[in-house]
Short mmCIF file of all heavy atoms in Angstrom, two decimals:
data_model
loop_
_atom_site.label_atom_id
_atom_site.label_comp_id
_atom_site.label_asym_id
_atom_site.label_seq_id
_atom_site.Cartn_x
_atom_site.Cartn_y
_atom_site.Cartn_z
N LYS A 14 0.83 -1.21 0.00
CA LYS A 14 0.00 0.00 0.00
C LYS A 14 0.87 1.25 0.00
O LYS A 14 0.55 2.23 -0.69
CB LYS A 14 -0.93 -0.02 1.23
CG LYS A 14 -1.91 1.15 1.28
CD LYS A 14 -2.81 1.18 0.07
CE LYS A 14 -3.81 2.33 0.16
NZ LYS A 14 -4.55 2.53 -1.12
N ALA A 15 1.95 1.22 0.75
CA ALA A 15 2.86 2.37 0.77
C ALA A 15 3.47 2.61 -0.61
O ALA A 15 3.58 3.75 -1.07
CB ALA A 15 3.96 2.14 1.80
N ILE A 16 3.83 1.52 -1.29
CA ILE A 16 4.41 1.63 -2.63
C ILE A 16 3.39 2.18 -3.62
O ILE A 16 3.73 2.97 -4.51
CB ILE A 16 4.97 0.27 -3.08
CG1 ILE A 16 6.24 -0.04 -2.29
CG2 ILE A 16 5.26 0.25 -4.58
CD1 ILE A 16 6.82 -1.41 -2.53
N GLU A 17 2.14 1.79 -3.48
CA GLU A 17 1.09 2.36 -4.33
C GLU A 17 1.02 3.87 -4.16
O GLU A 17 0.93 4.61 -5.15
CB GLU A 17 -0.26 1.74 -3.96
CG GLU A 17 -0.41 0.27 -4.32
CD GLU A 17 -1.72 -0.33 -3.85
OE1 GLU A 17 -2.60 0.46 -3.44
OE2 GLU A 17 -1.86 -1.56 -3.90
N ASP A 18 1.07 4.33 -2.93
CA ASP A 18 1.02 5.78 -2.67
C ASP A 18 2.23 6.48 -3.24
O ASP A 18 2.13 7.60 -3.78
CB ASP A 18 0.92 6.04 -1.17
CG ASP A 18 -0.45 5.71 -0.60
OD1 ASP A 18 -1.33 5.26 -1.37
OD2 ASP A 18 -0.67 5.91 0.61
N ILE A 19 3.39 5.85 -3.13
CA ILE A 19 4.62 6.45 -3.68
C ILE A 19 4.54 6.53 -5.19
O ILE A 19 4.87 7.56 -5.79
CB ILE A 19 5.85 5.64 -3.24
CG1 ILE A 19 6.04 5.70 -1.72
CG2 ILE A 19 7.11 6.15 -3.94
CD1 ILE A 19 6.97 4.65 -1.17
N ALA A 20 4.09 5.45 -5.84
CA ALA A 20 3.98 5.43 -7.30
C ALA A 20 3.01 6.51 -7.79
O ALA A 20 3.27 7.18 -8.80
CB ALA A 20 3.53 4.05 -7.78
N ASN A 21 1.91 6.68 -7.09
CA ASN A 21 0.94 7.71 -7.46
C ASN A 21 1.50 9.11 -7.24
O ASN A 21 1.29 10.01 -8.06
CB ASN A 21 -0.35 7.54 -6.66
CG ASN A 21 -1.21 6.39 -7.17
OD1 ASN A 21 -1.25 6.11 -8.37
ND2 ASN A 21 -1.88 5.69 -6.26
N ALA A 22 2.22 9.29 -6.16
CA ALA A 22 2.80 10.61 -5.87
C ALA A 22 3.89 10.95 -6.87
O ALA A 22 4.01 12.09 -7.33
CB ALA A 22 3.36 10.64 -4.46
N ALA A 23 4.70 9.95 -7.24
CA ALA A 23 5.79 10.18 -8.18
C ALA A 23 5.25 10.53 -9.57
O ALA A 23 5.87 11.29 -10.31
CB ALA A 23 6.68 8.95 -8.26
N ASP A 24 4.11 9.96 -9.93
CA ASP A 24 3.44 10.25 -11.19
C ASP A 24 4.41 10.09 -12.37
O ASP A 24 4.84 9.01 -12.67
CB ASP A 24 2.83 11.65 -11.14
CG ASP A 24 1.85 11.91 -12.25
OD1 ASP A 24 1.34 10.92 -12.83
OD2 ASP A 24 1.59 13.08 -12.56
N ASN A 25 4.77 11.19 -13.02
CA ASN A 25 5.65 11.13 -14.18
C ASN A 25 7.12 11.33 -13.85
O ASN A 25 7.96 11.43 -14.74
CB ASN A 25 5.22 12.17 -15.23
CG ASN A 25 3.88 11.81 -15.85
OD1 ASN A 25 3.62 10.65 -16.15
ND2 ASN A 25 3.03 12.80 -16.03
N ASP A 26 7.43 11.43 -12.56
CA ASP A 26 8.83 11.49 -12.15
C ASP A 26 9.49 10.13 -12.41
O ASP A 26 8.84 9.18 -12.81
CB ASP A 26 8.95 11.84 -10.66
CG ASP A 26 8.44 13.24 -10.35
OD1 ASP A 26 8.43 14.08 -11.26
OD2 ASP A 26 8.07 13.47 -9.18
N PHE A 27 10.78 10.05 -12.12
CA PHE A 27 11.53 8.82 -12.35
C PHE A 27 11.74 8.06 -11.04
O PHE A 27 12.08 8.65 -10.02
CB PHE A 27 12.86 9.13 -13.02
CG PHE A 27 12.69 9.63 -14.43
CD1 PHE A 27 12.48 10.98 -14.69
CD2 PHE A 27 12.71 8.74 -15.50
CE1 PHE A 27 12.31 11.44 -15.98
CE2 PHE A 27 12.54 9.19 -16.80
CZ PHE A 27 12.33 10.54 -17.05
N ILE A 28 11.53 6.75 -11.08
CA ILE A 28 11.65 5.90 -9.90
C ILE A 28 12.72 4.84 -10.14
O ILE A 28 12.73 4.18 -11.18
CB ILE A 28 10.32 5.19 -9.59
CG1 ILE A 28 9.18 6.19 -9.41
CG2 ILE A 28 10.47 4.32 -8.34
CD1 ILE A 28 7.81 5.53 -9.26
N ILE A 29 13.60 4.69 -9.17
CA ILE A 29 14.61 3.64 -9.21
C ILE A 29 14.40 2.80 -7.96
O ILE A 29 14.46 3.31 -6.84
CB ILE A 29 16.03 4.23 -9.26
CG1 ILE A 29 16.19 5.04 -10.55
CG2 ILE A 29 17.09 3.13 -9.17
CD1 ILE A 29 17.43 5.87 -10.63
N SER A 30 14.13 1.51 -8.13
CA SER A 30 13.75 0.68 -6.99
C SER A 30 14.73 -0.47 -6.78
O SER A 30 15.29 -1.01 -7.72
CB SER A 30 12.33 0.12 -7.19
OG SER A 30 12.25 -0.66 -8.35
N THR A 31 14.90 -0.84 -5.52
CA THR A 31 15.88 -1.85 -5.15
C THR A 31 15.42 -3.27 -5.49
O THR A 31 14.24 -3.52 -5.77
CB THR A 31 16.20 -1.75 -3.65
OG1 THR A 31 17.35 -2.54 -3.34
CG2 THR A 31 15.03 -2.23 -2.79
N THR A 32 16.33 -4.19 -5.43
CA THR A 32 16.06 -5.59 -5.76
C THR A 32 15.09 -6.24 -4.78
O THR A 32 14.97 -5.81 -3.64
CB THR A 32 17.39 -6.39 -5.81
OG1 THR A 32 17.16 -7.67 -6.33
CG2 THR A 32 18.01 -6.52 -4.42
N GLY A 33 14.39 -7.27 -5.24
CA GLY A 33 13.51 -8.03 -4.35
C GLY A 33 12.05 -7.63 -4.44
O GLY A 33 11.56 -7.16 -5.47
N LYS A 34 11.35 -7.81 -3.32
CA LYS A 34 9.90 -7.62 -3.28
C LYS A 34 9.49 -6.18 -3.60
O LYS A 34 8.42 -5.94 -4.16
CB LYS A 34 9.35 -8.01 -1.90
CG LYS A 34 9.53 -9.49 -1.56
CD LYS A 34 8.60 -10.37 -2.37
CE LYS A 34 8.83 -11.86 -2.11
NZ LYS A 34 8.57 -12.28 -0.74
N ILE A 35 10.31 -5.22 -3.24
CA ILE A 35 9.96 -3.81 -3.48
C ILE A 35 9.76 -3.55 -4.97
O ILE A 35 8.76 -2.97 -5.40
CB ILE A 35 11.02 -2.86 -2.89
CG1 ILE A 35 10.92 -2.89 -1.36
CG2 ILE A 35 10.84 -1.43 -3.41
CD1 ILE A 35 12.00 -2.10 -0.65
N SER A 36 10.70 -4.00 -5.80
CA SER A 36 10.56 -3.81 -7.25
C SER A 36 9.39 -4.61 -7.80
O SER A 36 8.66 -4.15 -8.69
CB SER A 36 11.86 -4.22 -7.97
OG SER A 36 12.82 -3.19 -7.92
N ARG A 37 9.18 -5.80 -7.27
CA ARG A 37 8.06 -6.63 -7.75
C ARG A 37 6.72 -5.98 -7.41
O ARG A 37 5.78 -5.99 -8.23
CB ARG A 37 8.16 -8.02 -7.15
CG ARG A 37 9.29 -8.86 -7.74
CD ARG A 37 9.48 -10.16 -6.99
NE ARG A 37 8.28 -11.00 -7.05
CZ ARG A 37 8.17 -12.16 -6.40
NH1 ARG A 37 9.17 -12.61 -5.67
NH2 ARG A 37 7.06 -12.88 -6.51
N GLU A 38 6.60 -5.42 -6.22
CA GLU A 38 5.35 -4.78 -5.82
C GLU A 38 5.10 -3.50 -6.61
O GLU A 38 3.95 -3.21 -7.00
CB GLU A 38 5.37 -4.51 -4.32
CG GLU A 38 5.23 -5.80 -3.51
CD GLU A 38 5.48 -5.63 -2.02
OE1 GLU A 38 5.97 -4.56 -1.61
OE2 GLU A 38 5.18 -6.57 -1.27
N LEU A 39 6.15 -2.76 -6.88
CA LEU A 39 6.01 -1.56 -7.71
C LEU A 39 5.56 -1.95 -9.12
O LEU A 39 4.63 -1.36 -9.67
CB LEU A 39 7.35 -0.81 -7.78
CG LEU A 39 7.41 0.36 -8.77
CD1 LEU A 39 6.46 1.47 -8.33
CD2 LEU A 39 8.84 0.89 -8.90
N PHE A 40 6.21 -2.95 -9.69
CA PHE A 40 5.89 -3.38 -11.05
C PHE A 40 4.43 -3.86 -11.13
O PHE A 40 3.70 -3.48 -12.05
CB PHE A 40 6.83 -4.49 -11.51
CG PHE A 40 6.61 -4.91 -12.93
CD1 PHE A 40 7.28 -4.27 -13.96
CD2 PHE A 40 5.72 -5.93 -13.25
CE1 PHE A 40 7.08 -4.64 -15.28
CE2 PHE A 40 5.51 -6.30 -14.57
CZ PHE A 40 6.19 -5.66 -15.58
N GLU A 41 4.02 -4.69 -10.17
CA GLU A 41 2.66 -5.24 -10.23
C GLU A 41 1.61 -4.15 -10.10
O GLU A 41 0.61 -4.17 -10.83
CB GLU A 41 2.46 -6.28 -9.13
CG GLU A 41 1.04 -6.87 -9.16
CD GLU A 41 0.85 -8.02 -8.20
OE1 GLU A 41 1.63 -9.00 -8.28
OE2 GLU A 41 -0.10 -7.96 -7.40
N PHE A 42 1.82 -3.19 -9.19
CA PHE A 42 0.84 -2.12 -9.04
C PHE A 42 0.67 -1.36 -10.35
O PHE A 42 -0.46 -1.10 -10.80
CB PHE A 42 1.26 -1.16 -7.93
CG PHE A 42 0.42 0.08 -7.87
CD1 PHE A 42 -0.90 0.03 -7.44
CD2 PHE A 42 0.94 1.31 -8.27
CE1 PHE A 42 -1.69 1.17 -7.40
CE2 PHE A 42 0.15 2.45 -8.24
CZ PHE A 42 -1.17 2.39 -7.80
N LYS A 43 1.78 -0.99 -10.98
CA LYS A 43 1.70 -0.21 -12.21
C LYS A 43 1.12 -1.05 -13.35
O LYS A 43 0.37 -0.56 -14.18
CB LYS A 43 3.07 0.34 -12.57
CG LYS A 43 3.60 1.33 -11.51
CD LYS A 43 4.90 1.97 -11.92
CE LYS A 43 4.68 3.03 -12.96
NZ LYS A 43 5.92 3.77 -13.31
N GLU A 44 1.46 -2.33 -13.37
CA GLU A 44 0.95 -3.23 -14.40
C GLU A 44 -0.57 -3.36 -14.30
O GLU A 44 -1.28 -3.31 -15.31
CB GLU A 44 1.61 -4.61 -14.24
CG GLU A 44 1.22 -5.63 -15.28
CD GLU A 44 1.88 -5.41 -16.63
OE1 GLU A 44 2.70 -4.47 -16.78
OE2 GLU A 44 1.58 -6.20 -17.55
N HIS A 45 -1.09 -3.53 -13.09
CA HIS A 45 -2.52 -3.72 -12.89
C HIS A 45 -3.32 -2.43 -13.04
O HIS A 45 -4.55 -2.48 -13.16
CB HIS A 45 -2.79 -4.32 -11.51
CG HIS A 45 -2.39 -5.76 -11.42
ND1 HIS A 45 -2.43 -6.49 -10.25
CD2 HIS A 45 -1.94 -6.63 -12.38
CE1 HIS A 45 -2.02 -7.72 -10.48
NE2 HIS A 45 -1.72 -7.83 -11.76
N ASN A 46 -2.64 -1.30 -13.05
CA ASN A 46 -3.34 -0.02 -13.18
C ASN A 46 -3.00 0.68 -14.49
O ASN A 46 -3.20 1.89 -14.62
CB ASN A 46 -2.98 0.88 -11.99
CG ASN A 46 -3.65 0.41 -10.70
OD1 ASN A 46 -4.78 0.78 -10.41
ND2 ASN A 46 -2.95 -0.40 -9.93
N ASP A 47 -2.51 -0.10 -15.44
CA ASP A 47 -2.20 0.41 -16.80
C ASP A 47 -1.32 1.65 -16.77
O ASP A 47 -1.50 2.58 -17.56
CB ASP A 47 -3.50 0.72 -17.55
CG ASP A 47 -4.33 -0.52 -17.79
OD1 ASP A 47 -3.74 -1.58 -18.07
OD2 ASP A 47 -5.58 -0.44 -17.69
N MET A 48 -0.37 1.66 -15.86
CA MET A 48 0.59 2.76 -15.76
C MET A 48 1.87 2.38 -16.49
O MET A 48 2.27 1.22 -16.49
CB MET A 48 0.89 3.08 -14.28
CG MET A 48 -0.34 3.51 -13.49
SD MET A 48 -0.03 3.60 -11.69
CE MET A 48 1.03 5.04 -11.61
N SER A 49 2.49 3.34 -17.11
CA SER A 49 3.71 3.08 -17.88
C SER A 49 4.85 2.64 -16.97
O SER A 49 5.00 3.13 -15.85
CB SER A 49 4.13 4.34 -18.64
OG SER A 49 5.38 4.15 -19.26
N HIS A 50 5.65 1.71 -17.48
CA HIS A 50 6.85 1.28 -16.76
C HIS A 50 8.09 2.04 -17.21
O HIS A 50 9.17 1.82 -16.67
CB HIS A 50 7.09 -0.22 -16.98
CG HIS A 50 6.02 -1.10 -16.41
ND1 HIS A 50 5.83 -1.25 -15.05
CD2 HIS A 50 5.09 -1.86 -17.02
CE1 HIS A 50 4.82 -2.09 -14.85
NE2 HIS A 50 4.35 -2.47 -16.02
N SER A 51 7.93 2.92 -18.19
CA SER A 51 9.09 3.58 -18.78
C SER A 51 9.85 4.47 -17.80
O SER A 51 11.05 4.69 -17.97
CB SER A 51 8.65 4.43 -19.99
OG SER A 51 8.09 3.62 -20.99
N ASN A 52 9.14 4.98 -16.78
CA ASN A 52 9.80 5.89 -15.85
C ASN A 52 10.32 5.18 -14.60
O ASN A 52 10.69 5.81 -13.61
CB ASN A 52 8.86 7.02 -15.43
CG ASN A 52 7.68 6.52 -14.61
OD1 ASN A 52 7.25 5.38 -14.75
ND2 ASN A 52 7.17 7.37 -13.72
N GLU A 53 10.36 3.83 -14.63
CA GLU A 53 10.88 3.08 -13.48
C GLU A 53 12.07 2.24 -13.91
O GLU A 53 12.05 1.61 -14.97
CB GLU A 53 9.79 2.18 -12.88
CG GLU A 53 9.38 1.04 -13.81
CD GLU A 53 8.16 0.27 -13.33
OE1 GLU A 53 7.23 0.91 -12.82
OE2 GLU A 53 8.13 -0.96 -13.49
N PHE A 54 13.12 2.26 -13.11
CA PHE A 54 14.26 1.38 -13.33
C PHE A 54 14.26 0.38 -12.19
O PHE A 54 14.45 0.75 -11.03
CB PHE A 54 15.57 2.15 -13.36
CG PHE A 54 16.79 1.26 -13.53
CD1 PHE A 54 17.13 0.77 -14.78
CD2 PHE A 54 17.55 0.90 -12.43
CE1 PHE A 54 18.22 -0.06 -14.94
CE2 PHE A 54 18.65 0.07 -12.57
CZ PHE A 54 18.99 -0.41 -13.83
N LEU A 55 14.03 -0.89 -12.52
CA LEU A 55 13.98 -1.94 -11.52
C LEU A 55 15.37 -2.53 -11.35
O LEU A 55 15.84 -3.28 -12.21
CB LEU A 55 12.99 -3.04 -11.95
CG LEU A 55 11.57 -2.57 -12.30
CD1 LEU A 55 10.75 -3.73 -12.82
CD2 LEU A 55 10.89 -1.93 -11.08
N ASN A 56 16.02 -2.17 -10.25
CA ASN A 56 17.37 -2.66 -10.01
C ASN A 56 17.28 -4.08 -9.45
O ASN A 56 17.38 -4.31 -8.25
CB ASN A 56 18.07 -1.72 -9.01
CG ASN A 56 19.50 -2.12 -8.73
OD1 ASN A 56 20.19 -2.58 -9.63
ND2 ASN A 56 19.94 -1.95 -7.50
N VAL A 57 17.10 -5.06 -10.35
CA VAL A 57 16.75 -6.41 -9.93
C VAL A 57 17.89 -7.15 -9.24
O VAL A 57 17.68 -8.13 -8.55
CB VAL A 57 16.23 -7.25 -11.11
CG1 VAL A 57 14.94 -6.66 -11.64
CG2 VAL A 57 17.28 -7.37 -12.22
#
């Protein structure tokens, strides 16, 4: 839920996320809400 709020607040800004569950949760939230992944770098 916290990551959802961060993704919404960041909007069109750029997000760089750490390896593990954090990147997976960010990716899934944006995927399920038809949000672009172009502004996120998933440091897997």
Side-chain angles (χ1 to χ4, degrees):
K14 184 60 178 170
I16 288 174
E17 291 176 11
D18 287 1
I19 295 164
N21 284 325
D24 194 20
N25 291 319
D26 294 336
F27 292 86
I28 303 173
I29 298 169
S30 60
T31 192
T32 189
K34 296 288 176 63
I35 289 174
S36 278
R37 288 172 60 184
E38 288 170 349
L39 172 65
F40 184 89
E41 180 172 305
F42 171 70
K43 297 185 76 175
E44 182 76 2
H45 288 174
N46 287 273
D47 296 322
M48 299 170 71
S49 173
H50 295 291
S51 298
N52 67 331
E53 67 189 40
F54 178 79
L55 306 175
N56 182 36
V57 296

